[in-house]
Amino acid sequence: MLLPSLYALHEDGLIAEDLRIVGTARSDLDDDRFRALALEALNTYLPDDRKDEAKIASFLAHLQYQPLDASTLEGFDALAAKIGDITGGLSIFLSTAPFLFEPTIKGLKAAGLTGANVRIGLEKPLGNDLTSSAVINDAVASAFSEDQIFRIDHYLGKETVQNLMALRFANMMFEPLWNANGIDHVEITVSETVGLEGRHGFYDSTGALRDMVQNHMLQLLALTAMEAPADFDATSVRDEKVKVLRSLRPVAADEMVRGQYDAGAVSGGAVESYKNDLGEDSDTETFVALKAHVDNWRWQGVPFYLRTGKRLSERRSEIIIQFKSVPHNIFAGRGGKLNANRLVIRLQPEEYVRLQVMAKKPGMDRDGVVLREVPLDLSLTQAFAKARRRIAYERLLLDLIDGDPTLFVRRDEVEAQWRWIDAIRQVWADENIATKPYGSGSWGPSASIALTERDGVTWHE
Ligand code: BG6
């Protein structure tokens, strides 16, 4: 993700000619070997139409490498020497195991790599509960002020996620209905077809709740539910998001489902169970469904159903806004049946916004009026066909380099997210809520269907 994103920025002339990118990790590489590794990554991950040999060569010239064992202070001076003069600014992108955050910050500080003109981007996982995330955040705060800290949630770099704000706040027609008077419920689905993807240790100690809900899904929920910020700037947007996150009601035991994939078939191919993929027994959830409530005036009585999982039927991220029914059906006497309006915001793989509206089927209506749901489609892929689709990290890395924190997560947001997630895990522990098996290639355990059906709601599939 990172090297192809940086390359794409370079290809478009969006990063300065004299920008130097210094990679550092434990592996004992030199500049040339790092460049060879980068070249291999670019060849593997860049789409063919973006491979421009001359530009790849000039991009590789930006790259340098310094080996470093971040667990000890030794070595940071050599890193600082390699980086050289930072009076023109330095952006650090830290992607490492949680236990290395503290020593890394200490090392950076000792080597003089934490001044006022230094920014730091932090990649998850930033801890695995409120307490451990506070330890990391405190460590970072000992060397950087909050406005120098850029916590990454790559969902915020996705074009359609930003479009959610444009849809809500750049149009008049949705907002008057965007509340408990107009909306019956909201669904947020992030389904994946992939399984463990070789991340055994990390995933098994994390699970779907902490891997996906704690960050990406709660950010989607916050953007869907927040009040209109006064400005599109970092403080205003994040102030509104955090209010939503703090209004989340603790989830009750009968409002949550944990699942784990069994063997099955995904995209036409047979796949193994999670336990087989992992090579041992485990009760880690690869699926979670929740009924969430935002306890404020706007959302009183409107459930937010969330679900995410691996090895599901298809890869899809979407937000469904289910509006209420009209107060009276004037067509009922003539047999006309109505469905309530539904707004489908598809984030991926396709990018579109679709409003389902009722329309009359053409005809003489002698046997009654026939009304049908028809989509009002706004395909972002088609409407902006010429605009390049970017990897989320391109936008975020550029914002980090430019110093714009609007699309990064502030500490109070992260803490509100963890507080809510920790309470869910506490219920799992107190009530011994075990995972329910689901066949790979399905939409999760049947309990997830029951979670909505008992409210008369069917997941949008
Ligand atoms: C990551 C999770 O944050 O998001 C992964 O750790 C998950 O488990 C990924 O696969 C999903 O991102 P995307 O952009 O493919 O929806």
mmCIF file of all heavy atoms in Angstrom, residues 415-436:
data_model
loop_
_atom_site.group_PDB
_atom_site.id
_atom_site.type_symbol
_atom_site.label_atom_id
_atom_site.label_comp_id
_atom_site.label_asym_id
_atom_site.label_seq_id
_atom_site.Cartn_x
_atom_site.Cartn_y
_atom_site.Cartn_z
ATOM 1 N N GLU A 415 -10.307 7.060 21.890
ATOM 2 C CA GLU A 415 -10.624 6.602 23.241
ATOM 3 C C GLU A 415 -12.109 6.289 23.390
ATOM 4 O O GLU A 415 -12.478 5.308 24.038
ATOM 5 C CB GLU A 415 -10.115 7.622 24.257
ATOM 6 C CG GLU A 415 -8.594 7.629 24.191
ATOM 7 C CD GLU A 415 -7.898 8.462 25.239
ATOM 8 O OE1 GLU A 415 -8.540 9.340 25.841
ATOM 9 O OE2 GLU A 415 -6.687 8.240 25.442
ATOM 10 N N ALA A 416 -12.954 7.123 22.762
ATOM 11 C CA ALA A 416 -14.396 6.838 22.818
ATOM 12 C C ALA A 416 -14.679 5.507 22.103
ATOM 13 O O ALA A 416 -15.510 4.707 22.551
ATOM 14 C CB ALA A 416 -15.178 7.970 22.175
ATOM 15 N N GLN A 417 -13.955 5.263 21.003
ATOM 16 C CA GLN A 417 -14.142 3.999 20.270
ATOM 17 C C GLN A 417 -13.767 2.816 21.166
ATOM 18 O O GLN A 417 -14.491 1.839 21.273
ATOM 19 C CB GLN A 417 -13.301 4.007 18.983
ATOM 20 C CG GLN A 417 -13.812 5.001 17.957
ATOM 21 C CD GLN A 417 -12.917 5.191 16.719
ATOM 22 O OE1 GLN A 417 -13.252 5.959 15.850
ATOM 23 N NE2 GLN A 417 -11.785 4.516 16.638
ATOM 24 N N TRP A 418 -12.616 2.931 21.809
ATOM 25 C CA TRP A 418 -12.165 1.815 22.649
ATOM 26 C C TRP A 418 -13.104 1.586 23.822
ATOM 27 O O TRP A 418 -13.380 0.448 24.201
ATOM 28 C CB TRP A 418 -10.745 2.051 23.178
ATOM 29 C CG TRP A 418 -9.680 1.612 22.224
ATOM 30 C CD1 TRP A 418 -8.667 2.381 21.728
ATOM 31 C CD2 TRP A 418 -9.501 0.301 21.660
ATOM 32 N NE1 TRP A 418 -7.883 1.644 20.882
ATOM 33 C CE2 TRP A 418 -8.362 0.361 20.817
ATOM 34 C CE3 TRP A 418 -10.187 -0.906 21.766
ATOM 35 C CZ2 TRP A 418 -7.904 -0.742 20.106
ATOM 36 C CZ3 TRP A 418 -9.731 -2.007 21.050
ATOM 37 C CH2 TRP A 418 -8.609 -1.920 20.238
ATOM 38 N N ARG A 419 -13.612 2.669 24.417
ATOM 39 C CA ARG A 419 -14.488 2.517 25.574
ATOM 40 C C ARG A 419 -15.697 1.641 25.204
ATOM 41 O O ARG A 419 -16.088 0.747 25.937
ATOM 42 C CB ARG A 419 -14.950 3.907 26.034
ATOM 43 C CG ARG A 419 -14.893 4.064 27.523
ATOM 44 C CD ARG A 419 -15.039 5.494 27.978
ATOM 45 N NE ARG A 419 -13.752 6.101 28.267
ATOM 46 C CZ ARG A 419 -13.278 7.194 27.687
ATOM 47 N NH1 ARG A 419 -13.986 7.832 26.790
ATOM 48 N NH2 ARG A 419 -12.098 7.651 28.019
ATOM 49 N N TRP A 420 -16.253 1.915 24.039
ATOM 50 C CA TRP A 420 -17.450 1.184 23.604
ATOM 51 C C TRP A 420 -17.104 -0.269 23.277
ATOM 52 O O TRP A 420 -17.809 -1.197 23.643
ATOM 53 C CB TRP A 420 -18.039 1.905 22.377
ATOM 54 C CG TRP A 420 -19.392 1.454 21.979
ATOM 55 C CD1 TRP A 420 -20.556 1.653 22.666
ATOM 56 C CD2 TRP A 420 -19.742 0.743 20.781
ATOM 57 N NE1 TRP A 420 -21.605 1.114 21.957
ATOM 58 C CE2 TRP A 420 -21.135 0.551 20.799
ATOM 59 C CE3 TRP A 420 -19.017 0.266 19.696
ATOM 60 C CZ2 TRP A 420 -21.823 -0.107 19.781
ATOM 61 C CZ3 TRP A 420 -19.695 -0.391 18.678
ATOM 62 C CH2 TRP A 420 -21.080 -0.567 18.727
ATOM 63 N N ILE A 421 -15.954 -0.455 22.637
ATOM 64 C CA ILE A 421 -15.531 -1.806 22.250
ATOM 65 C C ILE A 421 -15.164 -2.640 23.493
ATOM 66 O O ILE A 421 -15.528 -3.806 23.610
ATOM 67 C CB ILE A 421 -14.318 -1.727 21.284
ATOM 68 C CG1 ILE A 421 -14.743 -1.089 19.957
ATOM 69 C CG2 ILE A 421 -13.644 -3.075 21.077
ATOM 70 C CD1 ILE A 421 -15.695 -1.911 19.118
ATOM 71 N N ASP A 422 -14.463 -2.023 24.421
ATOM 72 C CA ASP A 422 -14.088 -2.746 25.648
ATOM 73 C C ASP A 422 -15.329 -3.244 26.389
ATOM 74 O O ASP A 422 -15.342 -4.352 26.933
ATOM 75 C CB ASP A 422 -13.265 -1.842 26.585
ATOM 76 C CG ASP A 422 -11.837 -1.646 26.073
ATOM 77 O OD1 ASP A 422 -11.489 -2.236 25.024
ATOM 78 O OD2 ASP A 422 -11.064 -0.909 26.728
ATOM 79 N N ALA A 423 -16.381 -2.410 26.406
ATOM 80 C CA ALA A 423 -17.612 -2.809 27.111
ATOM 81 C C ALA A 423 -18.242 -4.024 26.418
ATOM 82 O O ALA A 423 -18.772 -4.921 27.079
ATOM 83 C CB ALA A 423 -18.593 -1.641 27.153
ATOM 84 N N ILE A 424 -18.152 -4.063 25.095
ATOM 85 C CA ILE A 424 -18.696 -5.226 24.369
ATOM 86 C C ILE A 424 -17.898 -6.479 24.747
ATOM 87 O O ILE A 424 -18.454 -7.538 25.036
ATOM 88 C CB ILE A 424 -18.630 -4.985 22.837
ATOM 89 C CG1 ILE A 424 -19.582 -3.849 22.456
ATOM 90 C CG2 ILE A 424 -18.953 -6.265 22.056
ATOM 91 C CD1 ILE A 424 -19.497 -3.431 20.991
ATOM 92 N N ARG A 425 -16.594 -6.335 24.774
ATOM 93 C CA ARG A 425 -15.757 -7.503 25.105
ATOM 94 C C ARG A 425 -15.992 -7.956 26.548
ATOM 95 O O ARG A 425 -15.905 -9.144 26.868
ATOM 96 C CB ARG A 425 -14.278 -7.192 24.841
ATOM 97 C CG ARG A 425 -14.040 -7.033 23.327
ATOM 98 C CD ARG A 425 -12.612 -6.795 22.979
ATOM 99 N NE ARG A 425 -11.741 -7.821 23.493
ATOM 100 C CZ ARG A 425 -10.754 -7.611 24.347
ATOM 101 N NH1 ARG A 425 -10.497 -6.389 24.778
ATOM 102 N NH2 ARG A 425 -10.016 -8.589 24.752
ATOM 103 N N GLN A 426 -16.306 -7.005 27.392
ATOM 104 C CA GLN A 426 -16.609 -7.359 28.774
ATOM 105 C C GLN A 426 -17.877 -8.221 28.836
ATOM 106 O O GLN A 426 -17.923 -9.216 29.556
ATOM 107 C CB GLN A 426 -16.788 -6.065 29.591
ATOM 108 C CG GLN A 426 -16.833 -6.286 31.100
ATOM 109 C CD GLN A 426 -15.553 -6.953 31.617
ATOM 110 O OE1 GLN A 426 -14.456 -6.501 31.305
ATOM 111 N NE2 GLN A 426 -15.701 -8.048 32.376
ATOM 112 N N VAL A 427 -18.878 -7.841 28.035
ATOM 113 C CA VAL A 427 -20.113 -8.643 27.997
ATOM 114 C C VAL A 427 -19.796 -10.049 27.454
ATOM 115 O O VAL A 427 -20.272 -11.055 27.988
ATOM 116 C CB VAL A 427 -21.193 -7.952 27.129
ATOM 117 C CG1 VAL A 427 -22.434 -8.826 26.999
ATOM 118 C CG2 VAL A 427 -21.558 -6.592 27.711
ATOM 119 N N TRP A 428 -18.960 -10.135 26.431
ATOM 120 C CA TRP A 428 -18.583 -11.451 25.894
ATOM 121 C C TRP A 428 -17.977 -12.312 27.001
ATOM 122 O O TRP A 428 -18.285 -13.489 27.122
ATOM 123 C CB TRP A 428 -17.538 -11.320 24.772
ATOM 124 C CG TRP A 428 -18.071 -10.733 23.511
ATOM 125 C CD1 TRP A 428 -19.362 -10.386 23.261
ATOM 126 C CD2 TRP A 428 -17.326 -10.421 22.327
ATOM 127 N NE1 TRP A 428 -19.463 -9.872 21.988
ATOM 128 C CE2 TRP A 428 -18.245 -9.890 21.393
ATOM 129 C CE3 TRP A 428 -15.993 -10.541 21.961
ATOM 130 C CZ2 TRP A 428 -17.858 -9.469 20.123
ATOM 131 C CZ3 TRP A 428 -15.612 -10.133 20.698
ATOM 132 C CH2 TRP A 428 -16.527 -9.602 19.775
ATOM 133 N N ALA A 429 -17.118 -11.673 27.791
ATOM 134 C CA ALA A 429 -16.440 -12.422 28.852
ATOM 135 C C ALA A 429 -17.433 -12.796 29.953
ATOM 136 O O ALA A 429 -17.502 -13.958 30.379
ATOM 137 C CB ALA A 429 -15.291 -11.598 29.413
ATOM 138 N N ASP A 430 -18.237 -11.812 30.392
ATOM 139 C CA ASP A 430 -19.175 -12.066 31.496
ATOM 140 C C ASP A 430 -20.220 -13.114 31.133
ATOM 141 O O ASP A 430 -20.618 -13.926 31.949
ATOM 142 C CB ASP A 430 -19.912 -10.777 31.883
ATOM 143 C CG ASP A 430 -18.963 -9.749 32.488
ATOM 144 O OD1 ASP A 430 -17.821 -10.123 32.818
ATOM 145 O OD2 ASP A 430 -19.360 -8.569 32.614
ATOM 146 N N GLU A 431 -20.685 -13.051 29.894
ATOM 147 C CA GLU A 431 -21.794 -13.927 29.496
ATOM 148 C C GLU A 431 -21.310 -15.152 28.721
ATOM 149 O O GLU A 431 -22.122 -15.870 28.146
ATOM 150 C CB GLU A 431 -22.789 -13.151 28.616
ATOM 151 C CG GLU A 431 -23.202 -11.816 29.155
ATOM 152 C CD GLU A 431 -24.452 -11.901 30.035
ATOM 153 O OE1 GLU A 431 -25.274 -12.793 29.785
ATOM 154 O OE2 GLU A 431 -24.553 -11.086 30.960
ATOM 155 N N ASN A 432 -19.997 -15.328 28.669
ATOM 156 C CA ASN A 432 -19.434 -16.456 27.897
ATOM 157 C C ASN A 432 -20.008 -16.533 26.490
ATOM 158 O O ASN A 432 -20.518 -17.573 26.073
ATOM 159 C CB ASN A 432 -19.725 -17.784 28.600
ATOM 160 C CG ASN A 432 -18.809 -17.963 29.778
ATOM 161 O OD1 ASN A 432 -17.642 -17.557 29.712
ATOM 162 N ND2 ASN A 432 -19.337 -18.523 30.849
ATOM 163 N N ILE A 433 -19.981 -15.460 25.779
ATOM 164 C CA ILE A 433 -20.538 -15.472 24.417
ATOM 165 C C ILE A 433 -19.495 -16.056 23.462
ATOM 166 O O ILE A 433 -18.468 -15.432 23.194
ATOM 167 C CB ILE A 433 -20.991 -14.063 23.993
ATOM 168 C CG1 ILE A 433 -22.103 -13.591 24.945
ATOM 169 C CG2 ILE A 433 -21.452 -14.057 22.539
ATOM 170 C CD1 ILE A 433 -22.742 -12.286 24.609
ATOM 171 N N ALA A 434 -19.785 -17.272 23.008
ATOM 172 C CA ALA A 434 -18.833 -17.974 22.138
ATOM 173 C C ALA A 434 -19.138 -17.667 20.675
ATOM 174 O O ALA A 434 -20.206 -17.139 20.350
ATOM 175 C CB ALA A 434 -18.937 -19.478 22.387
ATOM 176 N N THR A 435 -18.200 -17.988 19.795
ATOM 177 C CA THR A 435 -18.450 -17.766 18.373
ATOM 178 C C THR A 435 -19.399 -18.838 17.841
ATOM 179 O O THR A 435 -19.372 -19.988 18.287
ATOM 180 C CB THR A 435 -17.149 -17.823 17.541
ATOM 181 O OG1 THR A 435 -16.524 -19.092 17.764
ATOM 182 C CG2 THR A 435 -16.195 -16.713 17.916
ATOM 183 N N LYS A 436 -20.220 -18.421 16.886
ATOM 184 C CA LYS A 436 -21.098 -19.369 16.197
ATOM 185 C C LYS A 436 -20.488 -19.640 14.830
ATOM 186 O O LYS A 436 -20.034 -18.709 14.156
ATOM 187 C CB LYS A 436 -22.485 -18.766 16.030
ATOM 188 C CG LYS A 436 -23.183 -18.505 17.357
ATOM 189 C CD LYS A 436 -24.633 -18.097 17.132
ATOM 190 C CE LYS A 436 -25.489 -18.308 18.360
ATOM 191 N NZ LYS A 436 -25.043 -17.550 19.530
#
